[in-house]
Structures are given as structure tokens and as C-alpha cells.
Amino acid sequence: EGGSGAEATFARVNRLVGAVDDIVLAHGGFVGQHLGTTIAALFPNAADAVEAALALQRLGREPGLATEPGRGLGLAVGIASGPVVLGAVGAGESLSSVVLGATVQAAARMRACAEQRGAGVVVCETTRERLGPSPKHALREIAAGEDAQGAPRAFELGQQAR
């Protein structure tokens, strides 16, 4: 892609955001909020969120989105399950959607955990429980108990268990 560094960067970011939005929608989700290159997406159940997260990981390995040749785009995904508040903030043309609640904060902590540990997808204990006693994908505990910031147990999502 031609153009200045900034133009090329925004073109790549817009391709990524569009592809991410498409994956969320294809898995029954709804993009509640964009925050730069971070999104808050809502899904009807934990299984759909997990399948979307795995699709996002595959997207991150596509060469067209890489920032350097031969290197994938590391997408950190955090998943938490529970109630949220979705609403509109602003007025007129500056109206935008916002997702609020403890579940949103837990998902942000899971994403930070994924980023810090180099894990692709990290889910909270509630999500793990909602996936049932025999989840489709392996889950490995990587953070136990609540830390000083109140972060819940965290589980790294692995490959298919069955």
C-alpha cells in the first residue's frame, strides 16, 4: 500500500477492525464499543465468544495484517462472562455506544493477562464454568485466586480437547 506511514498504518488498522467486526458478527456477537484497536464485543453465550476468539487468533496469523514480514499480529483476547450495561453516550453526531460493568473490567484483566503472558486467549473462571464440564477446547489455569487488584482466576484457552 502506498501513501505515508500514517496512511498505511490507518489503512491496516481499518482492515483489521473490519475483519474483527466481521468475525464477531459471524459468531453471533455484537460489537458494543471500539476503543482504538480494542473492542468490547458481546455474545449470547461463552461458547460463541470462545469460537470467535479462536477465529481472531487465526486472523492474527494472516500475513496481510502483519506489521513485519514473516511475523503474525499478536492479538490478545480476554473473555469474561456476566451482566453488562450497554447504552449510548453523547448527543447528536457524537453519540456512541458504551459497555460498562464489572464483567467488562474482568474481560480487560483477562486481556491484560493474555498480553503479559504471551497467551492468545484467556478466559475467567465464570466463562470456564459456562463452557460446561467437558469444554470443546483445553483450558489451563495460569493465574489462581484473586490478586491485589481483585483479578479472578484466569485460564488460557488451548487447542481442541476432543
Side-chain angles (χ1 to χ4, degrees), residues 51-71:
E51 293 304 323
L54 292 171
L56 290 172
Q57 293 301 300
R58 289 189 295 276
L59 172 70
R61 291 190 291 273
E62 289 185 10
L65 294 173
T67 54
E68 297 173 25
R71 189 171 173 205

Side-chain angles (χ1 to χ4, degrees), residues 99-120:
V99 184
L100 304 170
T103 303
V104 176
Q105 298 306 314
R109 287 193 295 270
M110 295 300 107
R111 181 185 174 278
C113 184
E115 203 166 67
Q116 291 165 356
R117 295 172 182 264

